[in-house]
Every structure is written in C-alpha cells, then in structure tokens.
Amino acid sequence: MDYDFKSIESKWQAWWAANKTFKTVLDNSKPKYYVLDMFPYPSGAGLHVGHPLGYIASDIFSRYKRLTGYNVLHPMGYDAFGLPAEQYAIQTGQHPEKTTTDNINRYRSQLDRIGFSYDWDREVRTCDPGFYKWTQWAFLKMFDSWYDRSMQKARPIACLTEHFAKEGTAGVDAACSQDLDFTAKQWNAMDEKEKSDVLMNYRIAYQGETSVNWCEGLGTVLANDEVKDGLSVRGGFPVEQKKMTQWQLRVSAYAGRLLDSLDKLAWTDSLKEMQRNWIGKSEGCEVVFDTVCGEKHLPITIFTTRVDTIFGVTFMVLAPESDLVGELTTPEQAEAVADYVKQVKKKTERERIAETKTVSGVFSGSYGINPLTGERIPIWISEYVLAGYGTGAIMAVPAHDSRDYVFAKTFNLPIVPIIEGCDVSEQSFDAKEGKMCNSGFLNGMDVKEAIERAKDYVEEKGLGRRKTNFRLRDAIFSRQRYWGEPFPIYYKDGIPTPLPESALPLELPEIESFKPAANGEPPLSRAKDWTYDGYPLEKSTMPGFAGSSAYYLRYMDPHNDNALVDKDVDAYWRDVDLYIGGTEHATGHLIYSRFWNKFLYDLGYVCEDEPFKKLVNQGMIQGRSNFVYRIVGTNTFVSLGLKDKYETTEIHVDVNIVYNDRLDLEAFKAWRPEYADAEFILEDGEYICGWAIEKMSKSMFNVVNPDLVCDTYGADTLRLYEMFLGPLEQSKPWDTKGIDGVNRFLKKFWRMFYDRDNWLVTDEEPTAAELKSLHRLIAKERADIEAFSFNTTISAFMIALNELSALKCSKRAVLEPLVILLSPFAPHIAEELWHALGHEDSVTFASFPEYVEAYTAEDSCTYAVSFNGKTRFTVDLPKSADKDEVEARVRSMEQTAKYVNGLNIIKVIVVPGKIVNIVVK
RNA sequence: GCCCGAGUGGCGGAAUGGUAGACGCGAUGGACUCAAAAUCCAUUGUCCCUUAAAGAUGUGCGGGUUCGAGUCCCGCCUCGGGCACCA
C-alpha cells in the first residue's frame, strides 16, 4: 500500500470535524494553555503560502501541548471589518457583508485543507453583531470612565462627578486633554451641556478636536500607523493634516504602564524595543520663561531633557500651530509671521517630511527672559518644533542640539558652548559627556551630574518642575466609513449621550450607497432613521483596531450574551500563553490591545493586566519570482545563461509553470495567447529562468497557493516544509526546491509500516540501538519544540528515521511513539497510522512519550590535547574518568603516537575536564 | 541620523566556547528498469594533485581574550528591519 495522502487527508479532516476532536471545554483538572494566532483579514485574494506559516507553527505547538497534558485553547476567527471590503463595495456596489462572507468561506476552505486543530465552535467575526456588541460595550465603559493618575487606574466617571460636586477640581489628578480649574460651586452651577463638555476632557473615550491625518481619497481620518510617508497604507492616497473633532481613546494615560509592564513579557527584544520607541518616554523638566512682547509679559512653559544646558540658551522657538504664536507676535512682525504660518499650513504632511533637511522659520518680534541668567533672547517660530509634543515651545541650545544648531547657523543666531573643550565650529556637541563651563553654579560638574543638579535647582527656585513626557498619542477612534462598528452614542440636544447597555448591539443599518455622502459626511448619513429615541445617532464608525483589541477574550466564552467573558471562564483561561503573528502590528494592534486589556483590568472585568504573555513573530514569506528573457522585437525567448548574447527584455513568468527554475515550455505557450507561438533558445535542452526575491504578489506572478501544494504533495508535506524552510522568525523566500525532501521523508516513514500490501509492524522487543535512536529523538523533540526550533526537530526526525530504517526496525514499541512524535507536524499521516496500529481514539489524545535518560545522556567531555603547549587535537573522554585514566587513554591513542613519533614524552599534565598537555623532547 | 537584528558550501540552513558545514535540496557516479518515474547506495566547502593518501585553508574584514572562537570583547564593512525634526 502506497502513501496516498489525498484519501488519508480528506478522510481524517472529515473525521475530526464529525467527531469534534478539537472541541475545547473548560476543565479545571488540567492546566490550561492558550495558543492564539493573529486572526486574518479575509481579503479577496485568498491565502497564499505565506499566511499559514504562523498558523502551522501555532498548530504544532497546540498539538504538542495537548500531548503533554494541557487543556489547550486554540481558536480562529476573522478580522472582518475594514477598508478593502468597503472600497470594493464602492466600486462594485456589492454589499461588504457579502464579499466578506464570500472571502471568509474561501479562507475557511483553504484553512481546512491544512489540517489545523482549531475549535471552530469558538469562531468569531468582528462584523457579527453578537461580537461587536462587546466592542460597543467596551466603548461605553471607556466613555463612562476617567483615568485617576494618583491611583494609576481607570475609574467610573461617577466618582469624578461626585468629587466635582463636593470639591471641584481640587485634589483631582486625572489624565485629561487640558488642565481645568473650577470649584464645586462652579461645577454645580453648570448646565448639562457645560458639564458634558467638562467631562469630555476626562473620559477615556472622548470627543475632541485634534489634528488628524485626513485622507481625501478615502474620505476618512487615519491613525498614524495607517499612514506611511504621507500616503495611506491602504490605497496609497495622499494624507493631509486637518483639525477635526473626533472620537479618541486616551491611550496616553496608560503610556507609563504600557512601558513598564513590557519588562515582564516574553516578547522578542526587537518588538519590545519598537514599542518602547513608540511610547517614547523622555524624562526632563518643564521650565517657565518670562517673555516680553512689547509692553506685555507672558510666562511660557517649555519642555527640555537638558536643563543642564540652560546657560547655553540663545533663542526660543514656538511651533507654528501653537496658540502662543498669536500672543507673542509683535505688530511689526505680524505680516511675516502670518505669511509663514500660512505657508506651513499649506504643506501636506508628505512635503513636511520630504523637507526635513531645509530649515525655515520667522522671528516673532518678542523676547524671552532666561530665568537663570536674566538674559534677553529672541523668540522664533519654526516648523521644526511640533505643536503636539511637550508644550509646543522649546528653549534652543544650538551648541548642544543639532537641530537648534542648524537653525542658528541659518538665521545667524549666537552659539554658546557650555561644555569644556568641545568644538562647535562645524557641528553641535550633542553627547551627554564632559565638564560644564560658562554655566554658573554648574561649572565643573560632569554633564550627568549637572542634569540632576539643574533639575533640583529649577524645582527649588520654583522655576519649573520635573516632567516625564511620552510620544504616545491618544488614538483617534472614529472613521468616516460604513464598514465598521457603529458608535453607541446619540446626540440629545447636541450632547453626546451613551446608549443604554440594553440597546446593544446597535446594528449597522442598511444603506444604498457606500460612498461618502455630500460635503464629506460619512456614509451613515444616508441611513434612514439613524436615530435613537428620536435623536440622531453618531454617524462615524469605529476603526479596524476596535474589533481586534479584545477578540482573544471573546474566544474564551464566544456565545455568552451576558458578558464579554464570564468571570469564572476568564479566571480559568486568563491570558494568551502564546501569541503568534507578524511584527507589522507592533505599534498598532499590539499597543491598542494591551491598552484595552489594561482598561478592562482596571474595571475588574478581566483578571490579567497583560493579554499576551509570550509572543513569537513569524517571518514573512517572500515570493521568488521567475523571469524569461525575450529578445527585443521578437517572440523568441532565450535561456538565462545565453541572454547576455542578445538584447532582451526581462518578463515575469508565472512561477507555477516553472520547476526548479526550468520553464515548462508547453505550459508557457498555453499561459497567454501572445506566447502561443513562442520560440525558445535553450541550453542543454532546457529553458533556465532567472529569478529574484520579491514581495509575494499577484502582479509579480509569484503567488503560490497552498491549495496547489496540498494537491501535489499533501497538507502534511506543506506543514513540514514550511517549518523546515528555516527558523520561524526569519523572513525567507518561498522556494519549492526542497519540498521533495520532506515528502520523501513521509513516504519513507510510511514504508516503515507498509511494504506494498504488507503490514510490517511486529511486536518484537526493540534492541538497544533502536531504543537509543528513539529516545534521543524524544529528548530532542521536546527541547526543540519548547524552543520553537521546528526545523531542527524535523532534521532530528529524519536522522532517527534513517537510523531506524537502516536497522529495518518495524517494531510497535518504537513506531507507536514515533507516530505520536510526528503527529503535531504531520497530523493526517499520524492519525492514519495511529488507527492502523489499532487505536480507536484520535492520536490527539495520546501522551507525549517519555525518554529514558540512559539512552540520551551525554556523559563525555572534551579534552584539548596539546604538545609542548600547542594543541593538536581534542578528544572526548568519559566524565567519570580520573586523572590517571585520562592520561593512560591519551598516551595510548593513535593520534598521540603520531605527534610524538621519534620524540620522548617527558611529562603529562592533566587539567581535569579541560586540557591534557604533553611535554615532549 | 538614531535604535535593533543578521552575515557560514552551488542553495535553504545546523552547531551549551570543544572534530564547522548536521538535516534537506541540488549536482555527479552507480544499482534496479526495455525505458522512465519511484526507490536504494556512494561522493560532494575550497586549494594543491591524473587520482588517492597526506596536507594546507576555511564561518563578511581587521585586531583581542582563550589550550581552543562561527560563537565572547573592541574597531570597521555590507545587508535587512524599525523610528525619524519627540527638544
């Protein structure tokens, strides 16, 4: 009987589905293990071989964990709201729900062919009202919460209103958009609208005016991570800065905690570093500078991390968007300033990025007073200072900051060095090292010491205070789109009012066209009766990251209609033990999800404050494109090795008609009508194609569909091969070159059991050599899987199989454990053989075999053998050997005899466990 | 510019500081076959050499530590990724 993967794979896939083999239930008698994949956005293109890479790895790990006694939660679902479906809807008029469902079905059938052990009863779709009910619910909770900085947690807004009614803002330390100051009396005198406006300043989900990335092409605002180089990531439309009122999430309130708890996560250092950079903590100082604008005095606050350089301040700079610009511009400069501000506003984000090297700015006409020296310094306005960071105003120290330096050089402002011996004639001295000079009481101090001393001084004299700033901004949470979660908010007399929980889910209404409505209004303004209780409902929808922020919690309890997740269920599954996905979500989903989880944790809805304990980033699978070379002006194609003899054009050719870089000529002729009468110049009778590593995409004709691999080699081979390709984390090109190797391995494995029509397995006792192979493999597999080194696990399997097949070992006592060992990697063939061995239950429920120390122990250590101090060779000797035994062994070795041939051994020195030195003459 | 990560045969890639190149692909030779496919066996870093033995050399470059370095340290080069006026 041959290894017939087709019938085996479809048979067991059907059997698993019928028996619900992978159904997971809460089981307090077993330890839990939660393995999660980043759920896919079901795009119209379907899966290519790169997508399943992480899914295969997580599936192997899930199956392995089940074999080692864990109750494993391993679910899958779809991130189904989003722009592409909507763009497609706008172009074709098809309802996004329909295309999304179609795409999901396609994904599902592709996933099913690979033999994943998902519990499909737990599937979630973010566009399903039963799911987005809980996205909306979480939003309502955020709307109804504020962040108490003194307690470092989110609390119900009711606590805050109570406090306001009694004491006003006194004693409130809240994360807010703007520092407010009012008394209880003032608060109590406010009307509904005023109170609503005040509370917006504190809510965790709030509405506020902000400078947003407006994308005209898409008709919506975008988050920073949806914009790259001034273009939208989806669609590549230009993006400009615009002030708009938008729903936002006060993610910035959590910046400190998001940063601190990174330390306890088992994520890669590079990913943690990315998040650290994104959060961007900088510890410094706010300092108040008095300013003189004509007759007017106006104190302005700046932020700096280098207070120590305050004696080197020679000017100040305001961001063009800063409110202070208006206040500090003198009449003489008014026109110049207005021109400049107008000019800056006109520029798109893209142009601003492109022009970072050119320096621009204008003098405001006002002066600041250095609080330490009393010196009068000019105040400038320049776009190199950002309105959104710090206070939008800086003190400039050109001698020790490269940006200030360039500015000073351009506008001829003085440069005063305050660190001994530094040369600032060509460039600034930015390093935090050296001794201070020209700096009053700081003179002679080391820079690091001076920073601390200066901060103390500023605080003692009441000139400012220590301050930690973060780069992390609040997340803009509304999108002017249709295909997303509606906000559970209506406007009662203009006051944003939350829907009652009982009204959730607020379902997306049907509309006729998905285009933005007139004057930039969101598509939902086309909906009839988009009202609640007679009042208009919010018309924007939530962004893509809303639905993906807490989906891992919903998998725990997907059918619960009364809670996002039941308390007891959450207490069992707790958090994701292993999360597998790409690095592209480092500063998007993975930040928002952590924020969302911490918020739910603060309110007591979940029991862990971090959602993803361990995170593994699978690399990207790149495409390997193939080229043919057409001789210019002909329909003749020349093979790679001969192409330099002709003038040729390089043309992408479908990789599916190329095998090991050899072109299938007939398939090529059939590929496109214009090639039907193509002619070829071959080398050695073959057409060799050129190749290049590129992104896997339709336009490069390098997309490899996993279905095709399943057809030709089977899912087990696909799974093994994707893992065998190299380390999981590494990006690598898809190249089918080596796939025959793992396929051969499976065939060979099969032949241990079947020889044509004969069942070979016997009940004989295995020999010591056979047991050695088996037990070494078990030990290796356990260690390697735990370390996510799947490629070496497969190598070890191949070695063991070669050894055992050389021994013609078809003994049940050896093969049965081998089947279990193979089952995480190649579940179909393992299931087939497991049943052939007489088991009725799935191999899923078997136990991972134990290894016996005696067969696996490494009991030798390596000695370096040297002659007169020069090492000649090394030798492995038993660890147990004593000094004399080692000496005797080494003296008797053939190699020793070779090196001392014709010489006398004077003395042998043995350093236990390390060196044997033989002194010769 | 700043912060990570990586450089090993024809290729993908292995190597707790201890025989570099495991395992796989490819290639070459052979067995089986009318033939092919499949399968099996052998060889396969480079150089010197007709071949072999034997040797030399060899993990991006230059130094260092060590009896011993792909691995650790210092200084470069190249490639990949992230951030990018964040004061």
Side-chain angles (χ1 to χ4, degrees):
Chain A
M1 203 156 80
D2 279 341
Y3 166 46
D4 176 10
F5 62 83
K6 271 194 183 152
S7 64
I8 290 173
E9 290 179 359
S10 54
K11 174 171 148 196
W12 294 110
Q13 281 166 12
W15 191 80
W16 291 328
N19 288 283
K20 291 203 184 284
T21 305
F22 307 116
K23 187 168 175 58
T24 312
V25 290
L26 198 153
D27 178 357
N28 278 309
S29 70
K30 276 187 184 173
K32 69 98 185 186
Y33 201 89
Y34 186 175
V35 181
L36 182 65
D37 292 300
M38 289 186 185
F39 62 170
Y41 175 81
S43 83
L47 290 172
H48 65 63
V49 288
H51 295 113
L53 183 74
Y55 305 158
I56 292 170
S58 67
D59 197 61
I60 288 169
F61 206 76
S62 301
R63 288 173 180 271
Y64 163 76
K65 277 285 171 186
R66 283 195 197 100
L67 295 175
T68 51
Y70 287 87
N71 188 24
V72 175
L73 179 59
H74 188 215
M76 183 45 102
Y78 305 96
D79 186 13
F81 271 137
L83 274 176
E86 181 156 344
Q87 285 297 100
Y88 190 73
I90 289 171
Q91 285 158 21
T92 64
Q94 276 208 58
H95 198 289
E97 185 166 8
K98 168 144 184 8
T99 54
T100 302
T101 310
D102 291 349
N103 292 346
I104 285 177
N105 291 339
R106 168 116 189 266
Y107 266 59
R108 177 65 192 274
S109 72
Q110 285 186 297
L111 289 171
D112 279 346
R113 291 201 61 183
I114 306 174
F116 293 123
S117 63
Y118 295 123
D119 177 0
W120 283 107
D121 288 352
R122 291 175 184 263
E123 181 200 291
V124 300
R125 297 178 186 194
T126 55
C127 64
D128 181 352
F131 181 90
Y132 67 66
K133 171 178 176 176
W134 298 104
T135 311
Q136 293 173 334
W137 171 85
F139 173 83
L140 285 184
K141 291 292 164 198
M142 290 182 196
F143 181 81
D144 195 40
S145 302
W146 63 292
Y147 196 83
D148 186 339
R149 277 208 289 237
S150 61
M151 290 174 74
Q152 277 295 305
K153 64 183 280 196
R155 299 175 67 196
I157 204 94
C159 306
L160 191 64
T161 48
E162 228 170 83
H163 188 102
F164 285 162
K166 281 190 203 135
E167 298 170 52
T169 50
V172 172
D173 185 11
C176 55
S177 312
Q178 217 182 340
D179 279 315
L180 299 181
D181 201 1
F182 53 80
T183 62
K185 202 171 158 191
Q186 285 171 312
W187 168 259
N188 291 323
M190 289 181 197
D191 65 21
E192 283 299 303
K193 174 78 179 132
E194 285 167 330
K195 280 185 178 169
S196 163
D197 289 347
V198 166
L199 290 177
M200 270 303 177
N201 191 50
Y202 296 97
R203 295 183 193 278
I204 287 180
Y206 67 97
Q207 221 173 12
E209 184 168 78
T210 177
S211 183
V212 298
N213 304 305
W214 173 255
C215 180
E216 190 64 43
L218 294 170
T220 187
V221 304
L222 296 170
N224 284 334
D225 53 276
E226 292 170 315
V227 183
K228 191 152 176 87
D229 301 330
L231 298 174
S232 64
V233 171
R234 294 227 187 261
F237 298 102
V239 174
E240 56 178 332
Q241 295 300 298
K242 201 171 169 181
K243 281 232 170 185
M244 288 177 83
T245 297
Q246 298 288 334
W247 285 101
Q248 298 175 60
L249 300 185
R250 209 174 294 283
V251 179
S252 60
Y254 283 83
R257 280 167 64 190
L258 287 170
L259 186 72
D260 293 343
S261 51
L262 275 175
D263 293 338
K264 68 176 186 191
L265 299 179
W267 296 13
T268 58
D269 289 335
S270 70
L271 198 85
K272 287 202 249 186
E273 203 51 37
M274 266 191 237
Q275 290 215 339
R276 285 193 191 104
N277 290 341
W278 192 258
I279 296 168
K281 180 177 180 168
S282 60
E283 290 176 271
C285 214
E286 281 185 351
V287 184
V288 181
F289 280 62
D290 200 12
T291 63
V292 187
C293 173
E295 301 289 296
K296 243 184 348 189
H297 279 256
L298 179 74
I300 68 174
T301 307
I302 59 93
F303 175 74
T304 178
T305 52
R306 293 291 302 275
V307 230
D308 57 306
T309 60
I310 197 159
F311 289 91
V313 174
T314 54
F315 58 101
M316 296 175 77
V317 188
L318 303 176
E321 299 88 350
S322 169
D323 298 335
L324 296 166
V325 171
E327 313 246 19
L328 289 174
T329 303
T330 57
E332 302 80 62
Q333 288 298 102
E335 203 184 321
V337 170
D339 272 358
Y340 181 70
V341 171
K342 209 165 118 192
Q343 220 182 82
V344 170
K345 252 193 191 150
K346 233 173 37 198
K347 282 191 212 172
T348 63
E349 179 82 344
R350 191 155 196 223
E351 287 165 332
R352 261 175 101 154
I353 289 166
E355 290 166 18
T356 48
K357 277 172 193 77
T358 61
V359 181
S360 70
V362 64
F363 178 48
S364 70
S366 303
Y367 291 86
I369 309 293
N370 187 326
L372 268 76
T373 61
E375 228 177 315
R376 220 167 82 112
I377 46 176
I379 300 173
W380 285 68
I381 295 158
S382 171
E383 59 178 327
Y384 87 87
V385 174
L386 305 176
Y389 184 76
T391 58
I394 62 157
M395 65 179 211
V397 187
H400 302 290
D401 182 287
S402 48
R403 294 152 306 181
D404 297 345
Y405 186 88
V406 176
F407 194 83
K409 282 275 176 187
T410 311
F411 293 102
N412 239 334
L413 295 158
I415 297 168
V416 180
I418 47 107
I419 292 173
E420 271 177 31
C422 66
D423 174 19
V424 294
S425 57
E426 291 297 323
Q427 55 180 348
S428 62
F429 181 82
D430 291 13
K432 290 184 194 174
E433 55 192 41
K435 285 224 179 319
M436 307 295 296
C437 63
N438 302 330
S439 293
F441 69 98
L442 296 172
N443 280 342
M445 285 182 202
D446 182 73
V447 169
K448 295 213 169 83
E449 187 191 352
I451 292 175
E452 288 313 309
R453 193 59 206 94
K455 281 181 185 171
D456 289 341
Y457 183 87
V458 163
E459 288 194 325
E460 280 161 26
K461 301 281 172 184
L463 303 171
R465 58 182 179 131
R466 280 185 161 79
K467 176 84 201 268
T468 301
N469 268 335
F470 294 95
R471 282 174 54 190
L472 185 70
R473 311 290 165 81
D474 288 347
I476 295 164
F477 200 61
S478 36
R479 298 289 183 272
Q480 288 63 43
R481 307 297 295 190
Y482 173 72
W483 194 231
E485 300 86 348
F487 280 84
I489 291 286
Y490 65 106
Y491 293 90
K492 192 173 180 178
D493 306 323
I495 298 172
T497 311
L499 256 56
E501 264 183 50
S502 59
L504 300 185
L506 172 64
E507 292 200 33
L508 202 52
E510 288 305 320
I511 58 174
E512 273 154 28
S513 161
F514 305 103
K515 283 189 197 120
N519 52 41
E521 282 281 283
L524 280 188
S525 57
R526 297 171 187 275
K528 289 193 190 87
D529 282 336
W530 190 233
T531 57
Y532 178 81
D533 204 10
Y535 298 104
L537 280 157
E538 169 66 47
K539 294 191 188 81
S540 51
T541 54
M542 298 186 196
F545 69 82
S548 59
S549 287
Y551 74 112
Y552 55 91
L553 292 168
R554 194 61 186 159
Y555 280 135
M556 296 176 184
D557 201 5
H559 308 297
N560 190 336
D561 202 34
N562 301 313
L564 167 64
V565 51
D566 178 82
K567 275 222 151 71
D568 291 339
V569 172
D570 179 63
Y572 179 72
W573 294 111
R574 308 192 75 85
D575 52 6
V576 175
D577 294 278
L578 171 66
Y579 196 20
I580 297 192
T583 20
E584 66 271 21
H585 297 108
T587 53
H589 161 64
L590 287 172
I591 291 265
Y592 300 129
S593 236
R594 293 181 61 218
F595 152 76
W596 202 285
N597 192 82
K598 280 180 190 298
F599 169 75
L600 293 175
Y601 172 79
D602 285 353
L603 266 56
Y605 292 109
V606 299
C607 60
E608 291 284 351
D609 90 313
E610 277 292 333
F612 314 121
K613 229 185 272 177
K614 181 178 169 74
L615 185 118
V616 173
N617 299 115
Q618 91 275 22
M620 263 208 279
I621 298 245
Q622 295 140 313
R624 188 176 187 280
S625 312
N626 276 114
F627 302 106
V628 291
Y629 303 93
R630 179 163 62 187
I631 299 173
V632 173
T634 69
N635 208 12
T636 301
F637 296 83
V638 57
S639 184
L640 177 67
L642 305 170
K643 78 173 169 82
D644 292 342
K645 294 182 184 164
Y646 305 88
E647 196 190 332
T648 57
T649 335
E650 189 177 70
I651 299 169
H652 273 97
V653 61
D654 188 345
V655 292
N656 294 298
I657 57 171
V658 177
Y659 306 92
N660 291 338
D661 292 339
R662 309 297 193 272
L663 182 67
D664 180 334
L665 302 181
E666 290 314 308
F668 180 72
K669 286 181 180 175
W671 183 42
R672 298 216 154 164
E674 66 262 39
Y675 301 144
D677 57 351
E679 293 184 26
F680 304 94
I681 300 175
L682 307 176
E683 32 184 336
D684 304 327
E686 289 181 316
Y687 190 99
I688 315 287
C689 296
W691 58 272
I693 304 302
E694 295 172 305
K695 190 176 180 295
M696 198 172 272
S697 95
K698 269 185 179 171
S699 61
M700 315 269 194
F701 298 108
N702 60 7
V703 174
V704 182
N705 186 322
D707 295 345
L708 199 78
V709 183
C710 288
D711 284 341
T712 27
Y713 294 97
D716 285 339
T717 299
L718 172 72
R719 292 169 62 108
L720 278 171
Y721 188 57
E722 293 223 2
M723 293 301 105
F724 193 63
L725 223 40
L728 184 60
E729 300 86 345
Q730 220 164 79
S731 283
K732 56 227 152 188
W734 177 261
D735 184 350
T736 41
K737 244 185 181 171
I739 200 164
D740 291 314
V742 287
N743 190 239
R744 258 170 231 161
F745 161 74
L746 288 178
K747 289 183 192 162
K748 202 165 170 177
F749 189 75
W750 182 262
R751 284 200 301 274
M752 300 288 281
F753 296 77
Y754 289 104
D755 166 18
R756 294 189 190 280
D757 294 323
N758 302 315
W759 174 247
L760 300 175
V761 181
T762 67
D763 285 328
E764 275 175 87
E765 284 297 311
T767 64
E770 290 162 352
L771 288 175
K772 185 165 185 169
S773 281
L774 173 66
H775 289 269
R776 261 210 320 247
L777 176 62
I778 298 169
K780 174 86 175 154
E781 183 160 334
R782 207 177 246 280
D784 280 3
I785 292 182
E786 296 278 1
F788 285 87
S789 180
F790 298 132
N791 54 334
T792 55
T793 321
I794 297 169
S795 293
F797 222 114
M798 288 172 170
I799 296 168
L801 187 61
N802 282 339
E803 289 168 356
L804 292 168
S805 83
L807 295 166
K808 301 216 181 313
C809 170
S810 284
K811 296 169 183 170
R812 169 179 292 269
V814 173
L815 294 186
E816 208 165 79
L818 279 188
V819 169
I820 300 172
L821 291 178
L822 187 65
S823 68
F825 294 89
H828 307 87
I829 188 174
E831 194 77 89
E832 171 72 19
L833 293 170
W834 184 250
H835 287 259
L837 284 164
H839 299 275
E840 300 208 334
D841 222 354
S842 168
V843 67
T844 312
F845 306 118
S847 294
F848 197 84
E850 295 296 328
Y851 60 88
V852 175
E853 202 73 46
Y855 293 114
T856 57
E858 291 293 335
D859 56 1
S860 64
C861 67
T862 305
Y863 282 82
V865 181
S866 52
F867 296 87
N868 290 343
K870 185 156 188 196
T871 305
R872 291 300 180 171
F873 61 93
T874 60
V875 56
D876 283 346
L877 295 169
K879 268 183 188 154
S880 55
D882 67 20
K883 221 172 153 175
D884 292 343
E885 279 169 342
V886 171
E887 183 177 336
R889 282 287 305 280
V890 172
R891 273 176 188 270
S892 70
M893 291 189 65
E894 238 176 88
Q895 294 216 13
T896 309
K898 193 180 85 199
Y899 284 108
V900 298
N901 194 16
L903 301 167
N904 292 324
I905 296 179
I906 308 292
K907 177 164 81 165
V908 178
I909 303 155
V910 177
V911 178
K914 270 199 170 173
I915 311 155
V916 180
N917 188 27
I918 301 175
V919 184
V920 292
K921 197 170 96 177

